[in-house]
């Protein structure tokens, strides 16, 4: 219950160990419902976590077979850890969605590299934006973004692509 608006949300977020992006999403969510009940706050996380599943499944299309994607989806959604993180009123459900989007972008960019096509500026901008948003959602998302950038850097075949990936990664760390 943040009667002080977004300024109070930020003030309270600064006392937490997590970055503030999730709090800026859940505040208008609770305002729209008019309450901060357990159901309302947990629902947003559940929606993000459930949305991560089709993003994860379809994001691997073009890189993995249908049986491989279905198996990966079962492994991702099956464990109790997924259920627990999906319903906690914290940033974990959103982080699952961000990680799925980063995976989809990384695989799409990697397919371009494999076809000897230059990295798409639009896709790289999207990767940078999602990585930066993730870093402001949870600090571990910065590690995920770093891993994605390292994956792309190791696969890059031209100096141009390597420079683009390095500049993108350094831009996220700098931000």
């Amino acid at each position: 219950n943040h009667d002080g608006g977004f300024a109070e949300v930020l003030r309270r977020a600064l006392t937490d160990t997590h970055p503030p992006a999730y709090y800026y999403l859940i505040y208008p969510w609770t305002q729209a419902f008019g309450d901060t009940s357990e159901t309302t706050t947990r629902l947003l996380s559940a929606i993000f976590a459930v949305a991560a599943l089709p993003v994860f499944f379809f994001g691997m299309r073009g890189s993995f077979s249908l049986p491989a994607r279905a198996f990966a989806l079962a492994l991702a959604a099956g464990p109790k850890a997924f259920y627990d993180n999906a319903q906690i009123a914290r940033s974990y459900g959103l982080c699952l969605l961000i990680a799925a989007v980063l995976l989809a972008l990384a695989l799409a960019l990697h397919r371009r590299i494999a076809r000897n096509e230059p990295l798409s500026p639009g896709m790289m901008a999207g990767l940078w934006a999602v990585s930066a948003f993730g870093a402001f959602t949870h600090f571990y998302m910065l590690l995920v973004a770093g891993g994605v950038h390292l994956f792309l850097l190791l696969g890059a075949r031209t100096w141009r692509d390597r420079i683009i990936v390095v500049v993108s990664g350094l831009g996220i760390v700098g931000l």
Side-chain angles (χ1 to χ4, degrees):
N1 187 12
H2 298 288
D3 294 332
F6 280 110
E8 185 177 349
V9 172
L10 179 59
R11 184 181 57 75
R12 288 186 183 190
L14 291 175
T15 65
D16 195 1
T17 58
H18 293 65
Y22 181 73
Y23 302 115
Y24 277 114
L25 292 177
I26 199 160
Y27 175 73
W29 173 265
T30 58
Q31 296 299 304
F33 282 92
D35 74 41
T36 56
S37 69
E38 192 171 334
T39 302
T40 301
T41 55
R42 288 177 184 252
L43 181 61
L44 184 61
S45 291
I47 289 170
F48 286 140
V50 170
L53 297 175
V55 171
F56 178 70
F57 183 78
F58 290 110
M60 292 186 293
R61 186 181 48 207
S63 296
F64 298 97
S65 69
L66 179 61
R69 291 185 292 138
F71 182 71
L73 185 65
L75 286 178
K80 185 179 181 306
F82 179 84
Y83 169 78
D84 289 343
N85 288 320
Q87 56 87 33
I88 293 175
R90 301 282 291 175
S91 63
Y92 307 130
L94 178 57
C95 289
L96 292 169
L97 178 57
I98 293 168
V101 171
L102 287 174
L103 171 72
L105 286 168
L107 290 174
L109 287 162
H110 189 264
R111 285 192 300 271
R112 291 184 66 89
I113 290 170
R115 293 189 305 258
N116 286 323
E117 297 174 9
L119 291 176
S120 162
M123 290 174 72
M124 282 303 299
L127 179 74
W128 187 89
V130 173
S131 295
F133 181 69
F136 281 99
T137 302
H138 197 287
F139 291 120
Y140 283 132
M141 293 308 300
L142 185 59
L143 294 174
V144 173
V148 166
H149 280 77
L150 180 61
F151 168 72
L152 292 173
L153 182 62
L154 293 174
R157 296 181 178 173
T158 66
W159 280 105
R160 175 193 174 275
D161 288 349
R162 289 181 189 124
I163 290 169
I164 290 171
V165 171
V166 167
V167 167
S168 173
L170 290 175
I172 293 163
V173 171
L175 181 65

